[in-house]
């Protein structure tokens, strides 16, 4: 409908108004034209220009004005505002849609001119039409809609007069930094480039760089997303980070450390750090008064090496401090010498290249049903699938900082689950258990009626919240209102049920306006799935209300701060959807109650959260160990430490009513700092449960009953009482011993005993990460079986960067670890210790030299009284580190005591006969072989697994060996299948001790690790669970060499030699 004012404009145009008076009337009228209920500035406007009329020329009473316009139009002509070109016969047709394909109704379309000029708005179908716009390739449109990033599109150049364009709007959000600057080391006078990349919608358009927290002047350093520093000085050492900003907000990168040293200064400290390994029981060292030997260690930190030409974000070659010189030393033991390699000098070397892996298993939280063949997404890209048993393996890119994975069930039995999984940055694998929430069965709704869906169904308690969906709120993705029956599945994660904590989506973090990451405390999250009656078409919903019962918010200060959030599955961060307003209501009950009411739309995102930002934060220091000795040298890396933050029931601090947050971190060489909520004023304001797992196996916490032992727990009094440490079996011995609870009491700055751990204020994260082993910390430990590993070249399977390129290295390649096991059956009334002695067999650099030894104790068959079985590791044959030639490892399998070999697996024997050279076996008390080169299977009694992580390779191979199959796994030893060797052993005399029994008895009087205070009584040793049948990673434990047994190392000339197996080889015959 054209108004009266519009008709006047058209009339004046027809009259050719050219006088000053006409222009004064015409121009204001042309400035706004109302069509229907909307008023616009028309694009097509006549270019009015005053000229001298020949009939009025010379008239002194008439003033002529000429307007100048510098725009040149390749087609059409300039409009009256002189800001664009117009083509009366051209029309642009457009369609605007959202990410899921639904129409972007009411999106505003602007022309980019001197000032943004509103041209039109999209209708309910997302369609718009603009007449008069020239298709000259120079006109730019901006399309805006609330909560979505502005889209910019250029009208394409064309000879056609009717054009069509399609525009998709992306949800507006804060930038996300996907590449942070790297740690680098340089010398004075050199240059460095630090880079930072972020993405987002809208894309970041500004970067700021900070040095030690201070902003670097952009006009001085001339940076964008990369910072170049030339002619470096020492004072430029320190921490650098960038801040990326857009119209949607800001995000900060991780901190990078730049080390600047003098031109002639040593790149690394040449003196190795102390690193102790445990020796066999008969290798007591009088010099150190212990059973430990210091073999040294070089910390793998970044150092200043050779630089290539040019400035790059990532150096072509990375340099780390590593081993530059080792020497062999003979350790004097009881009647023999034990060779070991000792680090004597560190230097700057090329960093050891490793692979980073994340493995795990995805199962249902309620009954353990595996997610079979589910899809795994990293962002919008599918990167893997789960197996039949729900297992998965993901390779983590080297430059990735935050691993965000989404698990999607193709059968739609489980809610799509997004997880942020921590990993080992220095290489290796971490195992994660992924718990999935089963989708709630759908209910049928009438789209034309008001529908209410409850959130939370705890017995004897009210729902936490309700969803209210008004009539006619459902619509299809094409924008059409849906009328009919709706299948609605709304699955709620109720924090009042503590068992649901591991199902938490993402890591409950958000980014504030300054780009800092802050935690959220949840009051419940819910997944929404609306479909048509047939379940084939997904439906959207608008004007949905969330009614949150304020009585369920037990912490009053949280009522005003409550917000509604949605999850960004690409970043794993939560983004704000809206606020809540307080309303009084008598919903479903006669008494008036207070509700928090929020509004939401259900479109692209289907996962929402009722959360409160929380600023009261702390860190908890936790370490994991191989045994109850809690020695610094026995710390374990790669352990997943999880924390469940609790909100106590008022007046009952030991009976928490709800959890509020779930977090996980991975232990490094100095333990882990776990984020948690805490309170300084009220120690019981927040509580927490802390647990640990490795490879899917839960570690044990230090006991709290019958009496607290501060030395064992690792926290001194009186702070320990304030924290109220309780293991989960404190009151009920039938409960598992794998977690403990504490009050999150923030340390008081005026209390010295509270400022040395294990709780650290949020601003003291660096103190927590760098805390010495003597500082207070909480502890977990592994109940490892009777196993002992010894490597001639020291290597920590937890720290792949500790690998050394040596011919005698047990693992010859740091990116590929091959674990080999042989299954040994023992016929006899007692369990016995079985040892493998592994020496160079065919390689000229290693022949006759010791790689290492392995000891393991056999496990009794519960069904056969006189049968036990052991899965014994041996060093695989293959290429050594130089990849030049193969070495067939000489492996001797020696059971302890009076044993006799009775059989060898026929297929194994045939293989060895057909793959010469072959070791002779004249001594029936042992078995000698040159280890197979091929990865034989269970039919041979050999189990071989290759993986990027040594612990994972050993765990898988052990599981197969226990099971007696080449592709299965078991935690119970099966003695009659997949056996390689069989021995018959007679019963020991009453006075004869096994190796591990002797170890325990000697441990009662043996000196401890130097400088280490034992948390146990001197005579107390951890009991061995005789029923333990779980395959575990091997750990550093003592071994024994009993009288009459041949050790796997060189004896002094005067020592007695027993008959040894000899290997007939051409050209050289080693002596063992």
């Amino acid at each position: 409908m054209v108004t009266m004012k519009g008709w006047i404009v058209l009339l004046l145009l027809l009259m050719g108004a050219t006088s000053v008076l006409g222009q004064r009337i015409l121009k204001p009228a042309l400035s706004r034209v109302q069509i229907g209920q909307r008023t616009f500035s028309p694009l097509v406007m006549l270019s009015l220009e005053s000229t001298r009329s020949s009939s009025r020329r010379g008239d002194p009473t008439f003033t002529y004005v000429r307007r100048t316009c510098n725009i040149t139009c390749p087609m059409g002509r300039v409009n009256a505002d002189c800001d664009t070109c117009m083509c009366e016969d051209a029309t642009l047709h457009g369609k605007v849609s959202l990410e899921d394909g639904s129409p972007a109704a009411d999106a505003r379309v602007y022309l980019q001119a001197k000032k943004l000029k509103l041209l039109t708005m999209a209708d309910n179908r997302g369609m718009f039409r603009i007449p008069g716009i020239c298709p000259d390739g120079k006109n730019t449109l901006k399309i805006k809609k609330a909560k979505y990033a502005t889209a910019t599109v250029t009208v394409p150049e064309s000879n056609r007069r009717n054009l069509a364009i399609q525009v998709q709007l992306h949800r507006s959000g804060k930038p996300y930094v996907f590449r942070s600057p790297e740690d680098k080391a340089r010398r004075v006078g050199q240059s460095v480039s630090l880079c930072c990349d972020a993405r987002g919608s809208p894309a970041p358009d500004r970067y700021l760089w900070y040095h030690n927290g201070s902003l670097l002047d952009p006009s001085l350093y001339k940076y964008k997303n990369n910072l170049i520093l030339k002619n470096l000085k020492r004072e430029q050492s320190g921490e650098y980070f960038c801040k990326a900003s857009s119209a949607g907000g800001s995000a900060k990168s991780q901190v990078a450390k730049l080390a600047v040293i003098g031109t002639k200064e040593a790149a690394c400290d040449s003196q190795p750090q102390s690193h102790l390994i445990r020796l066999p029981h008969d290798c007591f060292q009088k010099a150190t008064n212990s059973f430990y030997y210091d073999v040294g260690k070089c910390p793998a930190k970044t150092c200043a090496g050779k630089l290539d030409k040019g400035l790059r974000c990532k150096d072509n070659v990375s340099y780390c401090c590593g081993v530059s010189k080792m020497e062999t030393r003979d350790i004097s033991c009881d009647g023999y010498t034990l060779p070991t390699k000792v680090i004597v000098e560190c230097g700057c070397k090329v960093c050891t290249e490793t692979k980073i892996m994340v493995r795990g298993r995805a199962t249902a939280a309620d009954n353990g049903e595996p997610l079979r063949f589910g899809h795994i997404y990293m962002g919008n890209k599918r990167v893997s699938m789960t197996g039949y048993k729900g297992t998965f393996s993901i390779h983590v890119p080297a430059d990735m900082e935050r691993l965000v994975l989404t698990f999607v069930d193709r059968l739609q039995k489980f809610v799509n689950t997004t997880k942020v999984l921590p990993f080992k940055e220095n290489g290796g694998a971490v195992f994660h258990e992924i718990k999935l929430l089963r989708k709630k069965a759908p209910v049928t709704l009438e789209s034309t009626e008001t529908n209410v869906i409850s959130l939370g169904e705890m017995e004897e308690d009210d729902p936490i919240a309700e969803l209210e969906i008004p009539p006619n709120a459902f619509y299809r993705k094409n924008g059409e209102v849906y009328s009919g029956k709706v299948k609605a599945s709304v699955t709620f994660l109720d924090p009042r049920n503590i068992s649901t904590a591991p199902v938490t989506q993402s890591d409950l973090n958000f980014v504030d306006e300054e780009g800092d990451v802050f935690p959220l405390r949840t009051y419940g999250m819910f997944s929404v799935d609306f479909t048509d009656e047939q379940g084939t078409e997904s439906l959207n919903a608008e004007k949905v209300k969330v009614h949150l019962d304020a009585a369920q918010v037990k912490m009053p200060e949280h009522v005003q701060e409550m917000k509604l959030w949605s999850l960004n599955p690409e970043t794993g961060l939560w983004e704000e959807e809206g606020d809540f307003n307080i309303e009084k209501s008598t919903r479903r009950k006669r008494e008036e109650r207070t509700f928090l009411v929020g509004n939401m739309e259900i479109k692209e995102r289907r996962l929402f959260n009722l959360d409160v930002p929380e600023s009261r934060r702390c860190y908890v220091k936790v370490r994991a160990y191989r045994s109850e000795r809690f020695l610094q040298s026995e710390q374990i890396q790669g352990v997943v430490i999880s924390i469940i933050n609790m909100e106590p029931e008022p007046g009952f601090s030991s009976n928490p009513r709800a959890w509020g947050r779930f977090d996980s971190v991975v232990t490094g060489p100095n333990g882990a700092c776990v984020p948690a909520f805490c309170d300084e004023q009220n120690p019981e304001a927040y509580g927490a449960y802390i647990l640990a797992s490795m490879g899917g196996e839960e570690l044990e916490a230090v006991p709290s009953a019958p009496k607290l032992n501060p030395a064992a727990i690792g926290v001194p009094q009186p702070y320990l009482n304030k924290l109220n440490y309780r293991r989960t079996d404190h009151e009920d011995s039938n409960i598992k011993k794998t977690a403990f609870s504490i009050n999150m009491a923030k340390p008081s700055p005026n209390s010295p005993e509270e400022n040395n751990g294990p709780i650290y204020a949020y601003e003291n994260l660096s103190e927590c990460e760098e805390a010495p082993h003597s500082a207070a910390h909480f502890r977990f430990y592994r109940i490892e079986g009777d196993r002992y590993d010894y490597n001639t070249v020291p290597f920590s399977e937890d720290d792949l960067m500790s690998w050394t390129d040596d011919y005698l290295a047990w693992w010859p390649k740091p990116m590929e670890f091959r674990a080999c096991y042989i299954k040994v059956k023992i016929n006899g009334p007692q369990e016995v210790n079985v040892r493998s002695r592994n020496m160079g067999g065919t390689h000229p650099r290693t022949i006759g030299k010791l790689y290492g030894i392995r000891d393991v104790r056999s496990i009794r068959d519960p069904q056969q009284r006189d049968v036990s079985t052991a899965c014994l590791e041996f060093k695989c044959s293959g290429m050594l580190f130089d990849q030049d030639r193969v070495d067939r490892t000489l492996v001797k399998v020696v059971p302890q005591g009076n044993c006799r070999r009775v059989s060898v697996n026929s297929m194994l024997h045939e293989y060895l006969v057909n793959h010469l050279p072959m070791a002779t076996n004249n001594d029936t008390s042992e078995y000698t072989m040159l280890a197979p080169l091929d990865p034989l299977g269970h039919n041979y009694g050999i189990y071989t697994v290759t993986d990027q992580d040594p612990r994972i390779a050993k765990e898988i191979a052990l599981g197969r060996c226990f099971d007696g199959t080449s592709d299965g796994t078991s935690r119970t030893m099966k003695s009659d299948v997949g056996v390689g060797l069989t021995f018959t052993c007679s019963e020991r005399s009453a006075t004869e001790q096994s190796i591990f029994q002797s170890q325990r008895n000697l441990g009662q009087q043996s000196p401890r690790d130097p400088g280490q205070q034992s948390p146990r009584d001197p005579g107390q040793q951890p009991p061995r669970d005789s029923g333990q049948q779980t395959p575990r990673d091997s750990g550093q434990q003592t071994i024994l060499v009993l009288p009459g047994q041949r050790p796997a190392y060189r004896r002094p000339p005067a020592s007695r030699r027993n008959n040894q197996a000899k290997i007939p080889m051409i050209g050289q015959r080693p002596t063992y």
Side-chain angles (χ1 to χ4, degrees):
M1 173 181 179
V2 180
T3 63
M4 182 63 67
K5 189 174 183 179
W7 287 114
I8 294 175
V9 171
L10 296 176
L11 179 62
L12 290 174
L13 288 172
L14 293 173
M15 293 173 61
T18 58
S19 65
V20 174
L21 179 60
Q23 289 187 41
R24 288 177 178 174
I25 298 173
L26 178 60
K27 189 171 182 178
L30 284 172
S31 63
R32 306 293 286 175
V33 174
Q34 185 173 353
I35 301 178
Q37 299 298 317
R38 300 177 179 176
T39 303
F40 300 106
S41 300
L43 178 67
V44 182
M45 301 183 71
L46 297 180
S47 178
L48 303 178
E49 190 175 293
S50 298
T51 58
R52 290 184 182 272
S53 173
S54 58
S55 61
R56 301 288 300 272
R57 189 168 298 168
D59 187 346
T61 63
F62 195 89
T63 302
Y64 296 88
V65 179
R66 178 181 295 275
R67 290 186 56 193
T68 59
C69 188
N70 295 325
I71 295 181
T72 301
C73 293
M75 62 174 62
R77 52 198 179 94
V78 181
N79 69 349
D81 288 341
C82 189
D83 54 12
T84 190
C85 298
M86 62 179 188
C87 298
E88 291 93 335
D89 56 345
T91 303
L92 177 69
H93 300 271
K95 181 179 180 180
V96 188
S97 60
L98 304 180
E99 290 175 280
D100 63 350
S102 59
D106 297 329
R108 293 173 174 263
V109 184
Y110 295 83
L111 176 69
Q112 178 71 64
K114 294 178 181 178
K115 296 190 300 182
L116 283 181
K117 182 183 293 184
L118 177 63
L119 300 181
T120 188
M121 291 175 62
D123 60 19
N124 291 335
R125 299 174 300 162
M127 310 292 289
F128 65 85
R129 177 177 175 274
I130 304 175
I133 193 165
C134 292
D136 55 6
K138 295 184 179 180
N139 286 310
T140 300
L141 303 179
K142 288 190 175 293
I143 303 174
K144 298 187 175 187
K145 182 175 174 64
K147 295 186 178 181
Y148 292 86
T150 300
T152 301
V153 60
T154 300
V155 180
E157 185 175 0
S158 175
N159 294 325
R160 299 174 59 186
R161 288 299 180 249
N162 283 287
L163 295 179
I165 61 172
Q166 290 190 4
V167 181
Q168 187 178 61
L169 298 183
H170 296 275
R171 190 181 179 93
S172 179
K174 296 180 175 66
Y176 175 62
V177 177
F178 65 91
R179 186 175 70 171
S180 291
E182 296 184 347
D183 292 348
K184 295 188 177 183
R186 295 290 188 268
R187 296 188 182 273
V188 172
Q190 292 181 334
S191 301
V192 70
S193 176
L194 301 175
C195 300
C196 169
D197 284 317
R199 60 169 67 103
S201 179
D205 52 10
R206 187 186 183 195
Y207 287 85
L208 297 176
W209 284 89
Y210 295 80
H211 175 219
N212 291 335
S214 299
L215 176 65
L216 297 177
D217 188 354
S219 62
L220 178 62
Y221 289 89
K222 309 295 183 185
Y223 56 69
K224 291 186 179 178
N225 67 322
N226 64 315
L227 173 66
I228 296 177
L229 303 174
K230 297 182 178 180
N231 193 23
L232 286 166
K233 301 177 179 58
R234 283 182 180 273
E235 54 267 26
Q236 290 179 287
S237 295
E239 297 182 341
Y240 290 83
F241 69 89
C242 81
K243 179 179 177 180
S245 301
S246 70
S250 300
K252 292 179 181 177
S253 73
Q254 298 291 326
V255 170
K257 294 181 179 179
L258 174 64
V260 182
I261 62 174
T263 54
K264 297 183 178 180
E265 186 177 347
C268 298
D269 184 358
S270 61
Q271 185 68 28
Q273 295 180 355
S274 176
H275 179 68
L276 302 175
I277 62 170
R278 189 168 179 86
L279 300 176
H281 86 287
D282 49 0
C283 286
F284 179 76
Q285 301 301 295
K286 295 181 180 179
T288 59
N289 195 36
S290 75
F291 284 96
Y292 289 84
Y293 195 83
D294 193 348
V295 296
K297 181 179 181 181
C298 298
K301 66 177 184 179
T302 305
C303 60
K306 296 179 181 179
L307 294 180
D308 52 355
K309 295 182 180 180
L311 292 171
R312 295 178 175 84
C313 297
K314 181 179 180 64
D315 294 339
N316 279 349
V317 180
S318 299
Y319 290 87
C320 298
C321 294
V323 178
S324 62
K325 185 178 180 181
M326 299 183 75
E327 63 182 35
T328 301
R329 294 181 185 172
D330 292 333
I331 302 174
S332 296
C333 300
D334 186 8
Y336 63 92
T337 58
L338 179 67
T340 188
K341 290 287 188 82
V342 177
I343 301 171
V344 295
E345 186 177 325
C346 300
C348 193
K349 299 181 60 179
V350 175
C351 296
T352 299
E353 188 176 357
T354 62
K355 285 187 177 180
I356 305 173
M357 302 294 297
V358 165
R359 301 184 185 278
R361 180 171 51 241
T363 56
D366 53 1
N367 62 0
E369 177 186 354
L371 172 63
R372 294 191 171 103
F373 311 115
H375 291 172
I376 304 176
Y377 289 86
M378 189 183 297
N380 295 320
K381 181 181 178 181
R382 196 178 86 187
V383 295
S384 187
M385 290 182 65
T386 60
Y388 180 78
K389 296 182 179 180
T391 56
F392 63 92
S393 177
I394 302 290
H395 173 250
V396 182
D399 58 350
M400 177 159 288
E401 301 173 5
R402 183 177 165 89
L403 179 62
V404 182
L405 299 178
T406 299
F407 296 81
V408 178
D409 178 19
R410 296 183 301 161
L411 302 179
Q412 292 299 300
K413 292 189 294 184
F414 304 113
V415 173
N416 291 352
T417 301
T418 298
K419 289 286 188 178
V420 180
L421 301 180
F423 52 86
K424 292 173 65 175
E425 297 180 359
N426 60 350
V430 174
F431 188 94
H432 290 279
E433 288 279 3
I434 308 299
K435 295 301 181 182
L436 307 174
L437 193 63
R438 192 177 299 276
K439 275 190 174 182
K440 191 173 182 180
V443 297
T444 301
L445 308 178
E446 289 290 344
S447 63
T448 57
E449 299 177 0
T450 298
N451 294 282
V452 176
I453 300 175
S454 297
L455 302 179
E457 297 179 350
M458 293 291 291
E459 293 184 9
E460 300 180 359
D461 207 345
D462 294 325
I464 287 181
E466 292 177 340
L467 293 183
E468 180 183 337
I469 308 171
N472 304 314
F474 296 101
Y475 61 95
R476 304 179 189 271
K477 287 191 175 182
N478 63 5
E480 297 179 359
V481 175
Y482 175 81
S483 179
K485 296 185 182 296
V486 177
K487 285 189 174 180
S489 173
V490 179
T491 309
F492 185 69
L493 184 66
D494 198 327
R496 295 173 296 184
N497 181 358
I498 191 172
S499 65
T500 63
V503 191
T504 306
Q505 298 264 4
S506 184
D507 57 359
L508 287 175
N509 286 328
F510 77 103
V511 177
D512 70 356
E513 295 300 324
E514 293 299 318
D516 293 308
V517 177
F518 278 87
L520 293 169
R521 187 262 189 247
T522 186
Y523 280 87
M525 56 185 68
F526 55 97
S527 172
V528 181
D529 188 17
F530 296 142
T531 64
D532 61 1
E533 189 173 6
Q534 290 73 34
T536 57
E537 181 183 2
S538 182
L539 301 176
N540 296 341
E542 60 182 359
K543 300 179 181 178
V544 178
K545 288 188 176 183
V546 182
H547 298 268
L548 174 61
D549 188 353
Q552 298 291 339
V553 184
K554 301 298 182 182
M555 304 184 77
E557 62 270 27
H558 286 176
V559 174
Q560 299 295 334
E561 301 173 359
M562 188 70 64
K563 295 179 183 294
L564 181 65
W565 307 77
S566 65
L567 180 65
N568 184 333
E570 183 175 358
T571 65
L573 295 169
W574 293 89
E575 299 175 358
E576 186 176 337
E577 283 284 331
D579 296 319
F580 282 89
N581 297 315
I582 298 179
E583 292 185 4
K584 300 291 185 180
S585 174
T586 56
R587 303 177 59 81
R588 297 195 176 187
K589 298 212 173 184
R590 295 181 179 180
E591 71 273 15
E592 185 179 78
R593 307 182 70 180
T594 301
F595 286 86
L596 303 177
V597 181
N599 298 306
M600 60 184 294
E601 288 185 310
I602 301 173
K603 293 182 179 178
E604 308 96 336
R605 297 185 181 175
R606 301 297 173 112
L607 185 63
F608 302 92
N609 206 346
L610 309 171
D611 275 21
V612 172
E614 184 58 84
S615 59
R616 293 175 289 186
R617 297 177 288 170
C618 288
Y619 288 97
V620 185
K621 186 71 172 187
V622 182
R623 301 179 190 267
Y625 298 88
R626 298 189 186 282
S627 71
E628 288 179 285
R629 292 188 293 265
F630 304 122
L631 304 178
Q632 183 175 0
S633 58
E634 292 187 349
Q635 289 191 88
I636 310 176
Q637 298 186 47
V639 175
V640 179
I641 308 294
S642 299
I643 185 169
I644 305 173
N645 286 269
M646 308 301 299
E647 174 190 312
E649 181 80 35
F652 299 94
S653 60
S654 62
N655 182 25
R657 62 163 298 277
W659 60 269
R661 181 178 174 83
F662 182 87
D663 258 308
S664 293
V665 296
V666 171
T667 57
N670 199 33
C673 294
V674 192
F677 298 145
C678 62
D679 193 272
E680 184 176 5
Q681 303 299 324
N682 180 10
E684 298 181 359
Y686 286 107
Y689 279 102
I690 301 178
L691 54 158
S693 66
M694 185 176 185
E697 169 197 341
E698 295 178 316
L699 274 65
E700 194 160 308
V702 180
S704 58
K707 183 180 180 181
L708 282 176
N709 184 350
I713 295 171
V715 181
Q717 294 286 24
Y719 197 20
L720 183 60
N721 281 338
K722 184 177 180 180
L723 297 175
N724 195 32
Y725 178 92
R726 293 289 185 270
R727 196 167 72 173
T728 43
D729 67 337
H730 183 78
E731 296 179 351
D732 185 353
S733 59
N734 294 321
I735 299 178
K736 292 198 296 184
K737 309 170 183 179
T738 54
F740 64 85
S741 65
I742 55 173
N743 289 335
M744 287 304 303
K746 186 176 181 180
S748 171
N750 300 321
S751 177
E753 63 270 13
E754 296 183 11
N755 285 274
N756 192 33
I759 312 296
Y760 293 83
Y762 176 75
E763 58 272 13
N764 296 333
L765 174 60
S766 59
E767 293 182 18
C768 179
E769 293 176 334
E770 299 169 5
H773 187 260
S774 59
H777 59 273
F778 292 111
R779 295 165 172 170
F780 287 92
Y781 61 94
R782 264 191 131 182
I783 308 265
E784 296 198 328
D786 288 335
R787 283 190 187 93
Y788 173 74
D789 291 3
Y790 174 80
N791 297 325
T792 300
V793 179
F795 171 71
S796 172
E797 293 175 356
D798 295 326
D799 182 10
L800 304 189
M801 299 292 286
S802 68
W803 180 84
T804 306
D805 51 353
D806 192 284
Y807 283 103
L808 291 176
W810 184 277
W811 308 98
K813 296 175 64 178
M815 296 183 66
E816 183 178 275
F817 298 89
R818 190 179 181 197
C820 294
Y821 284 81
I822 185 169
K823 194 166 186 175
V824 182
K825 183 177 179 179
I826 304 295
N827 294 320
Q830 295 182 347
E831 299 170 343
V832 301
N833 178 73
V834 186
R835 169 179 298 154
S836 71
R837 302 195 299 241
N838 304 269
M839 307 174 77
T842 60
H843 196 288
R845 299 294 294 267
T846 63
I847 193 166
K849 296 181 180 180
L850 182 70
Y851 286 115
I853 57 179
R854 297 292 187 266
D855 266 23
V856 66
R857 187 173 180 81
S858 63
I859 298 175
R860 182 169 303 283
D861 189 328
Q863 305 300 325
Q864 304 178 67
R865 181 178 178 182
D866 293 335
V867 174
S868 63
T869 312
C871 288
L872 178 66
E873 184 186 8
F874 63 90
K875 186 186 182 303
C876 308
S877 294
M879 290 284 188
L880 300 187
F881 87 94
D882 61 0
Q883 299 296 297
D884 180 49
R885 61 181 296 177
V886 165
D887 183 29
R888 292 280 300 278
T889 308
L890 176 67
V891 180
K892 293 178 183 289
V893 179
V894 185
Q896 172 203 356
N898 186 15
C899 297
R900 178 174 56 88
R901 185 181 71 248
V902 295
S903 68
V904 179
N905 183 291
S906 59
M907 295 183 67
L908 174 62
H909 179 73
E910 182 180 356
Y911 175 92
L912 296 175
V913 169
N914 293 329
H915 293 78
L916 300 177
M918 181 177 179
T920 57
N921 283 276
N922 296 326
D923 190 340
T924 60
S925 66
E926 64 182 27
Y927 181 75
T928 305
M929 68 175 179
L930 285 168
L933 278 170
D934 299 309
L936 306 181
H938 69 284
N939 291 329
Y940 300 79
I942 302 292
Y943 303 86
T944 305
V945 172
T946 301
D947 196 85
Q948 290 83 9
D949 185 274
R951 287 192 171 276
I952 296 295
K954 293 169 74 168
E955 286 281 2
I956 297 174
L958 270 173
R960 293 177 180 177
C961 182
F962 271 53
D963 194 50
T965 62
S966 296
D967 55 1
T969 188
S970 175
R971 290 180 176 268
T972 301
M973 181 71 78
K974 300 177 182 178
S975 301
D976 294 329
V977 289
V979 176
L981 297 173
T982 303
F983 289 84
T984 296
C985 300
S986 60
E987 187 172 359
R988 290 190 301 268
S989 64
T991 59
E992 188 179 8
Q993 296 177 330
S994 73
I995 285 178
F996 294 103
Q997 287 172 337
S998 298
Q999 171 200 345
R1000 294 190 187 94
N1001 294 336
L1002 285 170
Q1004 296 179 11
Q1005 53 190 0
S1006 62
R1008 306 183 188 96
D1009 186 0
Q1012 173 69 31
Q1013 291 186 347
S1014 173
R1016 304 178 59 90
D1017 295 335
Q1020 187 181 2
Q1021 290 293 325
R1024 186 178 73 84
D1025 183 1
S1026 59
Q1028 177 62 41
Q1029 298 183 341
T1030 301
R1032 304 178 187 273
D1033 294 342
S1034 53
Q1036 300 270 355
Q1037 305 238 1
T1038 58
I1039 68 167
L1040 290 180
V1041 180
L1042 296 180
Q1045 190 177 8
R1046 290 169 296 281
Y1049 15 75
R1050 180 169 52 87
R1051 291 179 179 272
S1055 64
R1056 180 175 62 86
R1057 296 178 182 271
N1058 291 313
N1059 292 330
Q1060 301 286 332
K1062 301 192 181 293
I1063 305 172
M1065 289 181 288
I1066 297 174
Q1068 186 174 10
R1069 184 186 295 266
T1071 300
Y1072 305 105

